[in-house]
Amino acid sequence: MIDSSIIAIDGFASTGKSTLAKMLAKHYNYSYVDSGAMYRGITYAALQNHWITSKGLEEAKLFEGLKSINLNFEPLTNSLLLNGINVSKEIRTQEVSNNVSKIATLPVVRDFLVKQQREMGKRKNIVMDGRDIGTVVFPNASHKFFFTAQPEVRAKRRWEELKLSDPTADFDSVLKNLIQRDAMDSQRKVAPLKIAENAIEIDVSDLSVAEVFTLLLKKIES
Ligand code: CDP
């Protein structure tokens, strides 16, 4: 059965998935769900609670701690609320980016979030972006896209974004992090980043946001 109320956008880090997913959601009056923000939210909580230390990850503490984590999106602004507190800025730091893919390999974390993501899809029409939306979370989504782009193009975009809040951010660390995350996300055992069978692949390296948007609308409506 095809689920026509769901648009899935997966792909490599910093390919503009969220920007385009938000634009599509607005255009079709769908809700937008940033599944990556949820993995980042858990990672932020793990850092705050010292479930991740310089020695590594305290898995038992993290598993226990998940019970006390409540994630929600504030509908008007798409802000991520962690136990009622807006952590949208905090989840975008390099520290969170450097730890999130490790947390995202854990099956317990994935089960915890995938359940919530599927619930969100039951309640309303949604556009969701991430790594496993078309393959695992909503394999029956009617529209699936997979974004790729050259690493340098992606790192430049992310670096420029990051510099606004952190003037010390440096390009090489951003590039290194993207490459490492892509590798970990693609190689993990559970729900690895890969193109879904019937997804449309788009290389956004040389396309403007407006061009990608036009292309997506064309594909959805054809
Ligand atoms: O925005 P960016 O492309 O940097 O990444 P994100 O969407 O915020 O996702 C952050 C990380 O969460 C990814 O690198 C993955 O490790 C993980 N993730 C995942 O495993 N599955 C998803 N559906 C979404 C994100």
Side-chain angles (χ1 to χ4, degrees):
M1 191 197 75
I2 298 279
D3 197 335
S4 59
S5 61
I6 291 169
I7 301 173
I9 305 184
D10 290 305
F12 291 98
S14 201
T15 42
K17 299 181 297 293
S18 304
T19 305
L20 270 302
K22 269 184 224 161
M23 289 170 78
L24 284 182
K26 192 164 174 214
H27 183 82
Y28 290 113
N29 198 20
Y30 278 23
S31 295
Y32 163 58
V33 179
D34 177 354
S35 70
M38 301 171 83
Y39 288 91
R40 287 175 177 273
I42 305 260
T43 307
Y44 174 69
L47 288 162
Q48 287 293 101
N49 292 300
H50 309 290
W51 304 330
I52 301 174
T53 66
S54 52
K55 290 195 200 112
L57 179 63
E58 306 249 16
E59 286 194 21
K61 283 190 188 164
L62 171 74
F63 295 169
E64 189 55 32
L66 279 182
K67 291 179 196 151
S68 60
I69 290 184
N70 185 13
L71 294 172
N72 279 299
F73 288 98
E74 206 279 313
L76 286 180
T77 58
N78 276 317
S79 304
L80 182 74
L81 305 180
L82 170 62
N83 297 334
I85 295 168
N86 185 345
V87 293
S88 299
K89 281 210 185 82
E90 290 80 354
I91 60 169
R92 303 283 159 203
T93 61
Q94 270 302 96
E95 193 187 17
V96 170
S97 295
N98 289 338
N99 287 282
V100 63
S101 290
K102 195 164 50 200
I103 297 287
T105 59
L106 302 170
V108 177
V109 170
R110 302 205 71 84
D111 287 350
F112 179 74
L113 292 182
V114 169
K115 265 191 208 117
Q116 297 180 31
Q117 290 154 2
R118 287 188 180 142
E119 278 305 310
M120 292 170 179
K122 272 188 205 157
R123 288 200 297 264
K124 50 203 168 192
N125 297 332
I126 55 172
V127 186
M128 191 177 288
D129 77 309
R131 302 294 185 286
D132 60 342
I133 310 306
T135 51
V136 173
V137 183
F138 297 119
N140 298 328
S142 55
H143 300 289
K144 299 182 187 179
F145 297 100
F146 190 87
F147 285 15
T148 64
Q150 285 152 21
E152 287 73 16
V153 175
R154 301 190 272 129
K156 186 161 179 289
R157 258 200 56 222
R158 182 52 54 92
W159 177 54
E160 273 161 8
E161 217 172 75
L162 211 58
K163 271 198 299 184
L164 300 175
S165 55
D166 176 9
T168 66
D170 89 291
F171 177 82
D172 289 343
S173 323
V174 173
L175 177 63
K176 193 172 149 214
N177 171 258
L178 293 187
I179 293 171
Q180 276 174 347
R181 274 200 289 137
D182 289 346
M184 280 186 86
D185 293 346
S186 310
Q187 288 160 17
R188 69 179 173 226
K189 288 207 181 78
V190 181
L193 168 64
K194 64 175 183 197
I195 182 161
E197 220 170 275
N198 43 354
I200 298 171
E201 185 169 346
I202 302 177
D203 184 336
V204 301
S205 304
D206 299 318
L207 300 177
S208 67
V209 169
E211 284 168 332
V212 181
F213 185 58
T214 308
L215 186 62
L216 294 180
L217 292 187
K218 208 169 102 194
K219 299 283 183 196
I220 291 171
E221 274 150 42
S222 69

